[in-house]
Amino acid sequence: MTSQERHEARFQRRKAKRLERKQARCNSLGPMNKVFSYRKMFFYGKKCCNGVRWKQSVQNFEGHLFSGTATRRRTVLEQQWKPKACSHFILRERGKIRPIDAPHITDRQIHKTLCNEVLIPLYSPSMIYDNGASQKGKGLHWQFKRIKQQLGWHYRRYGREGAVLLLDLKGFFPNASHALLYQRHRELILNPELQNLADTVIQYSPCPTPGRGMPLGVEPSQQEMVALPSKIDQWIKCQARVHCAGHYMDDYYAFFPTVDEAKLMGHEIVRRFEAAGIRVNKRKCKVIPLTKPFRFCKARFTLTETGKIKVNGSRDGVKRARRKLKLFHKEFKEGKRSFFDIEQYMECQSAYYRNFNDHGRLLRLRRLYHAIFFGGGQCLESSKPGPVSA
C-alpha cells in the first residue's frame, strides 16, 4: 500500500468515526415527540413569560398555556407549524441603528424548545472554546477575562513583541447566507423531522433580500449565527495553530509573535471567509502592535511593560452620561423626571465602570452627580466611591 493510499484509508476511518459521533448525538435527542414533549414545551413556555408579564399578550398566553401548549405541540408533530409575522421596530443603541424583529410569544415557545433541545446540543461540540457569545456560562465579560488570560500567556513567552489582529465581519446578520445554514442542518441535524423544522424557521425569517439575512431578536437566529463560522474557527485553532485567538459574534482577535505573521494570517483568514460566503469589513481589519492599546467590543486593552493588563470601558459612555445627567437635572427641576429614575441611571453607569480599571472615570462622574444634585463643591469629598456591596 502506497503512502497516498494509507493517508486516504486513515482519512476515511476518521470520517466514519466523526459520522458515528454525529449520529450518536442526534440519537441521544430522541424522536420528534420526545424532543417536543408536552412537559418540555410547557417548561419553555413559562420561561418565555419571564420579564415580560406586564404585556397583555403574554398574560393571555400564560392564561391559556395548558391548552395552547397541547395545540402547538400537535401542530409541530404534524409538521404543519408556520411562524407568525414578527413585530418590526427600530432601536438606536449607542448611536447605531438596529432593526429588530420580535416573534410572537407563541412562536417563541417553539423557538426556545428548538434551541435548547436541538441546536445547542448539536452545535456546541463543533464550536471552539474561545467563542463566548450567546452561550450559557459565558458572555461579554467572560470574553474580556479570556483575552486577559491569553495576553498573559503571550507576554510570558514573547513579552510585548508581536501584534494583535482584529477582524470584523460585515453585516453579519443581514448578509447571512441561507444556503450555508441549510447545509449546516444537513450536516449536523440528521433527524429529517427536526431538520425540516429548523429549515422552516429560516425559510420564514423576515429578511429584505431573498435567501440572505437573519433577523435580530429571534433566539434560533442567535444560535445559528454564533455557530456559522465554526469551520473557520476550527481552521484557525487546529490547522493554523493560533493558540491565542477567539471571537465574540462577528468581532475576531488573534495574537501573533510578529507583525508580519499577523498580516500574513489576516490575509489568509479574510480569503477563507470570503470563499465561504461570509463578508468581511476590510476597513475595520487592523494589525496593532502590542506596545499600543487596542479596542475590542468597546473596551480598551493595554499591555504594560511590567505585564499588567489594563482594561478600560468605553470613553464615549462617560461623555454620554455627563450630558444625560445635566439634562436629567433640568427635567428634575421642571418636575418631568423623578429622582428615583436618576438614581437608577447613576447606579447603572457605576455598575458598568466597576467592571473595568476606571476608578478615575467613575470618581469624576460621581463628583458631577453630587455637585449637580447635592449642593455643589461642598459635597465633592463625599462623592468618593465606597465599598462595592455584593
Side-chain angles (χ1 to χ4, degrees):
M1 183 181 292
T2 64
S3 175
Q4 185 176 0
E5 291 175 344
R6 288 197 304 271
H7 290 169
E8 179 64 23
R10 189 161 58 244
F11 169 74
Q12 293 298 334
R13 289 195 298 270
R14 291 199 304 267
K15 184 178 179 181
K17 288 182 180 179
R18 284 195 294 267
L19 185 59
E20 288 178 5
R21 288 194 295 268
K22 288 180 184 178
Q23 188 65 58
R25 283 195 292 267
C26 290
N27 294 340
S28 66
L29 300 179
M32 187 76 164
N33 58 357
K34 181 181 177 182
V35 174
F36 283 85
S37 65
Y38 183 90
R39 182 184 182 86
K40 292 178 180 178
M41 290 189 65
F42 186 87
F43 171 76
Y44 290 116
K46 295 289 287 185
K47 297 273 284 187
C48 290
C49 302
N50 293 342
V52 288
R53 284 188 170 86
W54 53 272
K55 294 183 179 181
Q56 183 63 48
S57 59
V58 176
Q59 295 173 13
N60 296 339
F61 169 80
E62 192 171 20
H64 299 85
L65 189 57
F66 280 100
S67 58
T69 299
T71 303
R72 285 182 288 274
R73 180 176 184 267
R74 183 169 59 252
T75 305
V76 170
L77 295 182
E78 294 174 355
Q79 299 187 20
Q80 296 180 354
W81 173 77
K82 298 294 183 295
K84 298 181 181 179
C86 295
S87 299
H88 183 79
F89 56 92
I90 302 294
L91 285 182
R92 186 179 181 89
E93 183 183 13
R94 296 188 298 273
K96 188 170 184 179
I97 304 276
R98 298 185 186 275
I100 305 295
D101 292 282
H104 196 270
I105 190 168
T106 56
D107 293 336
R108 285 183 59 201
Q109 182 184 22
I110 299 174
H111 288 170
K112 192 171 284 293
T113 308
L114 176 67
C115 286
N116 289 276
E117 298 297 327
V118 179
L119 299 185
I120 293 178
L122 297 183
Y123 285 1
S124 296
S126 63
M127 295 166 62
I128 63 173
Y129 177 75
D130 294 310
N131 180 2
S134 299
Q135 296 186 65
K136 187 175 181 180
K138 299 182 181 180
L140 184 59
H141 288 283
W142 178 92
Q143 194 76 55
F144 290 164
K145 292 178 182 177
R146 184 62 179 163
I147 293 176
K148 292 177 67 176
Q149 293 173 2
Q150 293 174 335
L151 266 177
W153 185 93
H154 182 95
Y155 180 83
R156 288 191 295 271
R157 285 156 181 80
Y158 309 105
R160 299 177 78 196
E161 297 294 327
V164 57
L165 170 66
L166 300 177
L167 294 174
D168 185 80
L169 304 183
K170 184 175 183 180
F172 190 46
F173 277 78
N175 293 327
S177 172
H178 290 183
L180 291 177
L181 300 176
Y182 291 142
Q183 179 183 355
R184 189 173 184 80
H185 291 172
R186 290 192 296 270
E187 292 176 357
L188 297 179
I189 307 177
L190 304 182
N191 186 323
E193 295 179 336
L194 295 175
Q195 184 183 125
N196 180 62
L197 182 64
D199 290 347
T200 301
V201 175
I202 297 176
Q203 180 183 355
Y204 286 88
S205 60
C207 50
T209 306
R212 185 173 292 275
M214 292 296 288
L216 290 170
V218 181
E219 190 169 356
S221 177
Q222 291 287 122
Q223 296 300 330
E224 294 283 2
M225 295 306 297
V226 75
L228 178 63
S230 291
K231 289 187 177 180
I232 309 295
D233 298 344
Q234 293 167 3
W235 179 86
I236 294 173
K237 285 286 190 177
C238 301
Q239 276 71 40
R241 297 183 180 181
V242 181
H243 182 79
C244 298
H247 72 101
Y248 189 83
M249 200 58 80
D250 60 337
D251 294 311
Y252 276 75
Y253 69 89
F255 302 115
F256 296 92
T258 63
V259 175
D260 293 337
E261 187 177 350
K263 292 180 179 178
L264 183 65
M265 188 60 65
H267 288 298
E268 179 63 20
I269 293 174
V270 170
R271 186 191 68 80
R272 288 180 176 271
F273 270 122
E274 293 181 343
I278 302 175
R279 300 180 184 179
V280 180
N281 191 342
K282 297 180 181 179
R283 184 175 59 86
K284 293 185 179 180
C285 297
K286 301 176 183 178
V287 174
I288 303 174
L290 290 178
T291 54
K292 299 179 180 179
F294 65 92
R295 294 183 182 275
F296 180 81
C297 290
K298 298 290 185 179
R300 186 181 69 178
F301 294 82
T302 306
L303 180 61
T304 63
E305 294 180 357
T306 61
K308 181 180 179 180
I309 302 167
K310 296 181 180 179
V311 186
N312 300 106
S314 176
R315 182 177 59 182
D316 297 335
V318 178
K319 301 177 183 178
R320 193 180 305 113
R322 292 175 66 89
R323 288 196 300 266
K324 282 191 174 183
L325 284 176
K326 294 174 183 178
L327 174 63
F328 291 167
H329 181 247
K330 181 180 177 181
E331 294 178 347
F332 174 68
K333 290 194 299 184
E334 295 174 354
K336 297 180 180 179
R337 186 177 294 273
S338 67
F339 189 70
F340 176 77
D341 294 340
I342 300 172
E343 284 182 318
Q344 292 293 310
Y345 175 77
M346 188 61 195
E347 180 58 31
C348 291
Q349 297 300 312
S350 301
Y352 172 76
Y353 286 106
R354 287 193 202 107
N355 293 309
F356 302 98
N357 303 114
D358 283 328
H359 175 76
R361 287 178 177 174
L362 180 58
L363 180 62
R364 289 190 292 272
L365 188 62
R366 282 183 168 177
R367 281 177 173 173
L368 176 65
Y369 169 71
H370 281 268
I372 291 177
F373 292 98
F374 297 106
Q378 61 183 358
C379 293
L380 291 182
E381 292 299 323
S382 63
S383 64
K384 296 181 181 179
V388 180
S389 59

CSV table of all heavy atoms in Angstrom, one decimal, residues 39 46 54 68 81 99 112 124 148 156 163 174 180 182 188 194 227 256 280 305 318 334 352 361 383:
chain,number,residue,atom,x,y,z
A,39,ARG,N,-44.2,18.2,28.4
A,39,ARG,CA,-43.5,18.7,29.6
A,39,ARG,C,-42.4,19.8,29.3
A,39,ARG,O,-42.4,20.8,29.9
A,39,ARG,CB,-42.9,17.6,30.4
A,39,ARG,CG,-42.2,18.0,31.7
A,39,ARG,CD,-41.5,16.8,32.3
A,39,ARG,NE,-40.8,17.1,33.6
A,39,ARG,CZ,-41.5,17.1,34.7
A,39,ARG,NH1,-42.7,16.8,34.8
A,39,ARG,NH2,-40.8,17.5,35.8
A,46,LYS,N,-43.3,28.7,30.0
A,46,LYS,CA,-43.2,29.5,31.3
A,46,LYS,C,-41.9,30.4,31.2
A,46,LYS,O,-42.0,31.5,31.7
A,46,LYS,CB,-43.1,28.6,32.5
A,46,LYS,CG,-44.4,27.8,32.7
A,46,LYS,CD,-45.5,28.7,33.2
A,46,LYS,CE,-45.4,29.1,34.6
A,46,LYS,NZ,-46.6,29.9,35.1
A,54,TRP,N,-45.9,41.9,32.1
A,54,TRP,CA,-46.7,43.1,32.1
A,54,TRP,C,-47.4,43.3,30.8
A,54,TRP,O,-48.4,44.1,30.7
A,54,TRP,CB,-45.8,44.4,32.4
A,54,TRP,CG,-44.6,44.5,31.5
A,54,TRP,CD1,-43.4,43.9,31.6
A,54,TRP,CD2,-44.6,45.2,30.2
A,54,TRP,NE1,-42.6,44.2,30.6
A,54,TRP,CE2,-43.3,45.0,29.7
A,54,TRP,CE3,-45.5,45.9,29.5
A,54,TRP,CZ2,-42.9,45.5,28.4
A,54,TRP,CZ3,-45.1,46.4,28.3
A,54,TRP,CH2,-43.9,46.3,27.8
A,68,GLY,N,-53.0,25.8,25.1
A,68,GLY,CA,-52.3,26.3,24.0
A,68,GLY,C,-51.0,25.4,23.7
A,68,GLY,O,-50.7,25.2,22.5
A,81,TRP,N,-46.6,23.4,11.4
A,81,TRP,CA,-46.4,24.7,12.1
A,81,TRP,C,-45.7,25.7,11.1
A,81,TRP,O,-44.8,25.3,10.4
A,81,TRP,CB,-45.5,24.5,13.3
A,81,TRP,CG,-45.1,25.8,14.0
A,81,TRP,CD1,-45.9,26.6,14.7
A,81,TRP,CD2,-43.8,26.4,13.9
A,81,TRP,NE1,-45.1,27.7,15.2
A,81,TRP,CE2,-43.9,27.6,14.6
A,81,TRP,CE3,-42.6,26.1,13.2
A,81,TRP,CZ2,-42.8,28.4,14.8
A,81,TRP,CZ3,-41.5,26.9,13.3
A,81,TRP,CH2,-41.6,28.1,14.1
A,99,PRO,N,-32.3,47.3,13.4
A,99,PRO,CA,-33.7,46.8,13.1
A,99,PRO,C,-33.9,45.5,13.9
A,99,PRO,O,-33.2,44.5,13.8
A,99,PRO,CB,-33.7,46.6,11.6
A,99,PRO,CG,-32.3,46.4,11.2
A,99,PRO,CD,-31.4,47.1,12.2
A,112,LYS,N,-37.7,28.5,21.6
A,112,LYS,CA,-36.9,28.2,22.8
A,112,LYS,C,-36.7,26.7,22.9
A,112,LYS,O,-35.6,26.2,23.3
A,112,LYS,CB,-37.5,28.8,24.0
A,112,LYS,CG,-36.6,28.8,25.2
A,112,LYS,CD,-37.3,29.6,26.3
A,112,LYS,CE,-37.1,31.1,26.1
A,112,LYS,NZ,-35.7,31.6,26.2
A,124,SER,N,-22.9,22.9,19.8
A,124,SER,CA,-21.8,23.2,20.7
A,124,SER,C,-20.5,22.4,20.6
A,124,SER,O,-19.4,22.9,20.7
A,124,SER,CB,-22.3,23.0,22.2
A,124,SER,OG,-23.4,24.0,22.4
A,148,LYS,N,-7.6,38.6,28.6
A,148,LYS,CA,-6.6,38.9,29.6
A,148,LYS,C,-5.7,37.7,29.8
A,148,LYS,O,-4.5,37.7,29.9
A,148,LYS,CB,-7.2,39.4,30.8
A,148,LYS,CG,-7.8,40.8,30.7
A,148,LYS,CD,-8.5,41.2,32.0
A,148,LYS,CE,-7.5,41.5,33.1
A,148,LYS,NZ,-8.2,42.0,34.3
A,156,ARG,N,4.3,36.1,28.7
A,156,ARG,CA,5.2,35.2,29.4
A,156,ARG,C,6.2,34.5,28.4
A,156,ARG,O,7.3,34.1,28.7
A,156,ARG,CB,4.5,34.1,30.2
A,156,ARG,CG,3.8,34.6,31.4
A,156,ARG,CD,3.3,33.5,32.3
A,156,ARG,NE,2.3,32.7,31.7
A,156,ARG,CZ,1.0,32.9,31.7
A,156,ARG,NH1,0.6,34.0,32.4
A,156,ARG,NH2,0.1,32.1,31.2
A,163,ALA,N,1.9,41.4,17.7
A,163,ALA,CA,0.8,42.2,17.4
A,163,ALA,C,-0.5,41.5,17.6
A,163,ALA,O,-0.5,40.2,17.7
A,163,ALA,CB,0.9,42.7,15.9
A,174,PRO,N,-27.5,40.6,8.6
A,174,PRO,CA,-28.2,40.9,7.4
A,174,PRO,C,-27.7,40.2,6.2
A,174,PRO,O,-28.4,39.9,5.2
A,174,PRO,CB,-28.1,42.4,7.2
A,174,PRO,CG,-27.8,42.9,8.6
A,174,PRO,CD,-27.0,41.9,9.2
A,180,LEU,N,-25.8,28.4,3.4
A,180,LEU,CA,-24.9,27.9,4.4
A,180,LEU,C,-25.6,27.3,5.6
A,180,LEU,O,-25.2,26.3,6.2
A,180,LEU,CB,-23.9,29.0,4.8
A,180,LEU,CG,-23.0,29.6,3.8
A,180,LEU,CD1,-22.2,30.7,4.4
A,180,LEU,CD2,-22.0,28.5,3.3
A,182,TYR,N,-28.7,26.0,5.7
A,182,TYR,CA,-29.3,24.8,5.3
A,182,TYR,C,-28.3,23.6,5.2
A,182,TYR,O,-28.6,22.5,5.6
A,182,TYR,CB,-30.0,24.9,3.9
A,182,TYR,CG,-31.2,25.8,3.9
A,182,TYR,CD1,-31.5,26.7,2.9
A,182,TYR,CD2,-32.1,25.8,5.0
A,182,TYR,CE1,-32.7,27.5,2.9
A,182,TYR,CE2,-33.2,26.6,5.0
A,182,TYR,CZ,-33.5,27.4,4.0
A,182,TYR,OH,-34.6,28.3,4.0
A,188,LEU,N,-25.4,18.4,10.5
A,188,LEU,CA,-25.5,18.1,11.9
A,188,LEU,C,-26.8,17.6,12.4
A,188,LEU,O,-26.9,16.9,13.4
A,188,LEU,CB,-25.1,19.4,12.7
A,188,LEU,CG,-23.7,20.0,12.4
A,188,LEU,CD1,-23.4,21.2,13.2
A,188,LEU,CD2,-22.7,18.9,12.8
A,194,LEU,N,-36.7,17.0,12.6
A,194,LEU,CA,-36.1,18.1,13.2
A,194,LEU,C,-35.4,19.1,12.2
A,194,LEU,O,-35.4,20.3,12.4
A,194,LEU,CB,-35.1,17.7,14.3
A,194,LEU,CG,-35.7,16.9,15.5
A,194,LEU,CD1,-34.5,16.4,16.4
A,194,LEU,CD2,-36.6,17.8,16.3
A,227,ALA,N,-22.8,30.0,15.6
A,227,ALA,CA,-22.1,28.8,15.2
A,227,ALA,C,-21.8,28.8,13.7
A,227,ALA,O,-21.1,27.8,13.2
A,227,ALA,CB,-22.9,27.6,15.5
A,256,PHE,N,-0.1,37.3,17.7
A,256,PHE,CA,0.9,36.7,17.0
A,256,PHE,C,2.3,37.2,17.5
A,256,PHE,O,2.4,38.3,17.9
A,256,PHE,CB,0.8,37.0,15.5
A,256,PHE,CG,-0.4,36.4,14.9
A,256,PHE,CD1,-1.6,37.1,14.8
A,256,PHE,CD2,-0.4,35.1,14.4
A,256,PHE,CE1,-2.7,36.6,14.2
A,256,PHE,CE2,-1.6,34.5,13.8
A,256,PHE,CZ,-2.7,35.3,13.8
A,280,VAL,N,-16.4,40.2,4.9
A,280,VAL,CA,-15.5,40.8,5.9
A,280,VAL,C,-15.5,42.3,5.7
A,280,VAL,O,-15.4,42.8,4.5
A,280,VAL,CB,-14.1,40.2,5.8
A,280,VAL,CG1,-13.2,40.8,6.9
A,280,VAL,CG2,-14.2,38.7,6.0
A,305,GLU,N,4.6,47.5,30.3
A,305,GLU,CA,5.9,46.9,30.3
A,305,GLU,C,6.1,45.9,31.4
A,305,GLU,O,6.9,44.9,31.2
A,305,GLU,CB,6.9,48.0,30.4
A,305,GLU,CG,7.0,49.0,29.2
A,305,GLU,CD,8.0,50.1,29.4
A,305,GLU,OE1,8.7,50.1,30.5
A,305,GLU,OE2,8.2,50.9,28.5
A,318,VAL,N,-18.8,57.9,29.1
A,318,VAL,CA,-18.7,58.9,30.1
A,318,VAL,C,-19.3,60.2,29.6
A,318,VAL,O,-20.0,60.9,30.3
A,318,VAL,CB,-17.2,59.1,30.5
A,318,VAL,CG1,-17.1,60.2,31.5
A,318,VAL,CG2,-16.7,57.8,31.1
A,334,GLU,N,-38.0,70.8,36.5
A,334,GLU,CA,-39.3,71.1,35.9
A,334,GLU,C,-40.3,70.1,36.3
A,334,GLU,O,-41.5,70.2,35.9
A,334,GLU,CB,-39.1,71.1,34.4
A,334,GLU,CG,-38.2,72.2,33.9
A,334,GLU,CD,-37.9,72.1,32.4
A,334,GLU,OE1,-38.4,71.1,31.8
A,334,GLU,OE2,-37.3,73.0,31.8
A,352,TYR,N,-21.4,49.6,35.4
A,352,TYR,CA,-20.6,49.3,34.2
A,352,TYR,C,-19.2,49.6,34.4
A,352,TYR,O,-18.3,48.8,34.1
A,352,TYR,CB,-21.2,50.2,33.1
A,352,TYR,CG,-20.3,50.2,31.8
A,352,TYR,CD1,-20.4,49.1,31.0
A,352,TYR,CD2,-19.5,51.2,31.5
A,352,TYR,CE1,-19.6,49.0,29.8
A,352,TYR,CE2,-18.7,51.1,30.3
A,352,TYR,CZ,-18.8,50.0,29.5
A,352,TYR,OH,-18.0,50.0,28.4
A,361,ARG,N,-12.5,57.6,36.2
A,361,ARG,CA,-13.7,58.0,35.4
A,361,ARG,C,-15.0,57.9,36.3
A,361,ARG,O,-15.8,58.8,36.3
A,361,ARG,CB,-13.9,57.1,34.2
A,361,ARG,CG,-13.0,57.4,33.1
A,361,ARG,CD,-13.2,56.4,31.9
A,361,ARG,NE,-12.3,56.7,30.8
A,361,ARG,CZ,-12.2,55.9,29.7
A,361,ARG,NH1,-13.0,54.8,29.7
A,361,ARG,NH2,-11.4,56.2,28.8
A,383,SER,N,-18.3,62.2,47.5
A,383,SER,CA,-18.6,61.5,46.3
A,383,SER,C,-17.7,60.4,46.0
A,383,SER,O,-17.8,59.8,45.0
A,383,SER,CB,-18.7,62.5,45.1
A,383,SER,OG,-17.4,63.0,44.9
